[in-house]
Amino acid sequence: AQSVTQLDSQVPVFEEAPVELRCNYSSSVSVYLFWYVQYPNQGLQLLLKYLSGSTLVKGINGFEAEFNKSQTSFHLRKPSVHISDTAEYFCAVTFSGGSSGSARQLTFGSGTQLTVLP
Amino acid sequence: DAGVIQSPRHEVTEMGQEVTLRCKPISGHNSLFWYRQTMMRGLELLIYFNNNVPIDDSGMPEDRFSAKMPNASFSTLKIQPSEPRDSAVYFCASVKRERTGELFFGEGSRLTVL
């Protein structure tokens, strides 16, 4: 079985400061990895994804994440945050390959609330 | 392009009443998911349809919950009778290719059962 751990439930940071949101996963097989963002009173929206290839993945709104297979991590980073980045961020994993890798097997982390302070 | 459309956005009802939540997936997407989000349990997958057929309903909490997808453009999630512990935000999501995790979520239906 796969699982996702988001190590920080809340991350406050000042505007224009860098931020890193941590995500670790466990899986015995190859994985696809995702970060979703949820703004207040909205649904989740895909921020970026790792399916294969380069381990550094760039997403929308200036976010990027790096897949580290040896450390089973997929941390999300942004060099300079804005007030508008205040939201909850979810890391998610699913199996890749074979008949797996399906959206039905997507496992979400518990979420990290990023609050950007003026 | 229109996204996933859910209705109602907010529903307040009394315990014992029937609740029906509705979802219109993105046109051309052939897989549809119903999730429930609470503070205590986070995001939970309730049921998954592929080509309008329910594939996995193991996440449906109990027989009070039922879901249908009569055609490719419409799905319902029904709770009867509703209980206060059903209070949550219910999300519908669709995906074009089921083999990835790239879900498109609606804005959710916030249910409060008094």
Side-chain angles (χ1 to χ4, degrees):
Chain A
Q2 60 202 15
S3 65
V4 178
T5 302
Q6 292 185 242
L7 298 165
D8 306 299
S9 59
Q10 309 241 0
V11 173
V13 63
F14 286 106
E15 194 173 17
E16 297 184 5
V19 70
E20 177 179 84
L21 306 184
R22 297 181 292 169
C23 172
N24 287 88
Y25 68 92
S26 66
S27 175
S28 57
V29 297
S30 297
V31 296
Y32 294 153
L33 293 156
F34 306 83
W35 276 97
Y36 282 83
V37 59
Q38 184 178 27
Y39 298 105
N41 299 314
Q42 294 188 25
L44 281 71
Q45 170 184 347
L46 183 65
L47 198 57
L48 50 78
K49 63 190 178 191
Y50 170 78
L51 302 182
S52 65
S54 172
T55 57
L56 183 63
V57 178
K58 294 189 185 297
I60 61 173
N61 300 338
F63 283 92
E64 64 180 32
E66 185 157 19
F67 170 52
N68 188 319
K69 188 175 180 179
S70 62
Q71 297 189 4
T72 60
S73 68
F74 191 56
H75 300 333
L76 181 70
R77 301 186 184 99
K78 186 170 182 177
S80 176
V81 295
H82 303 289
I83 297 286
S84 59
D85 293 323
T86 295
E88 186 146 25
Y89 292 79
F90 292 89
C91 183
V93 62
T94 188
F95 297 115
S96 65
S99 62
S100 302
S102 63
R104 79 178 87 171
Q105 294 172 320
L106 197 62
T107 299
F108 286 92
S110 55
T112 297
Q113 175 63 45
L114 172 65
T115 301
V116 181
L117 306 168
Chain B
D1 289 340
V4 175
I5 299 172
Q6 291 187 245
S7 64
R9 290 294 314 276
H10 301 274
E11 174 93 6
V12 180
T13 190
E14 292 187 345
M15 182 174 63
Q17 296 297 306
E18 176 180 300
V19 173
T20 299
L21 308 178
R22 298 171 177 81
C23 175
K24 177 179 168 56
I26 293 174
S27 177
H29 285 195
N30 60 2
S31 297
L32 183 140
F33 302 78
W34 282 100
Y35 283 88
R36 179 171 68 176
Q37 186 179 40
T38 60
M39 290 290 292
M40 291 296 294
R41 301 170 72 94
L43 270 166
E44 303 172 275
L45 177 62
L46 301 178
I47 187 169
Y48 153 69
F49 292 86
N50 191 41
N51 293 323
N52 312 338
V53 176
I55 303 299
D56 183 359
D57 65 355
S58 59
M60 297 285 260
E62 47 196 278
D63 291 346
R64 297 184 297 105
F65 286 69
S66 62
K68 294 182 179 180
M69 191 165 186
N71 57 62
S73 59
F74 184 65
S75 177
T76 60
L77 177 68
K78 184 178 292 187
I79 308 172
Q80 181 184 18
S82 58
E83 297 182 3
R85 60 191 167 126
D86 302 330
S87 297
V89 182
Y90 291 82
F91 287 103
C92 175
S94 68
V95 61
K96 185 171 185 178
R97 293 191 304 155
E98 198 264 339
R99 275 187 55 79
T100 73
E102 301 178 51
L103 296 173
F104 291 81
F105 283 81
E107 294 192 322
S109 294
R110 181 177 295 275
L111 172 65
T112 302
V113 183
L114 303 174

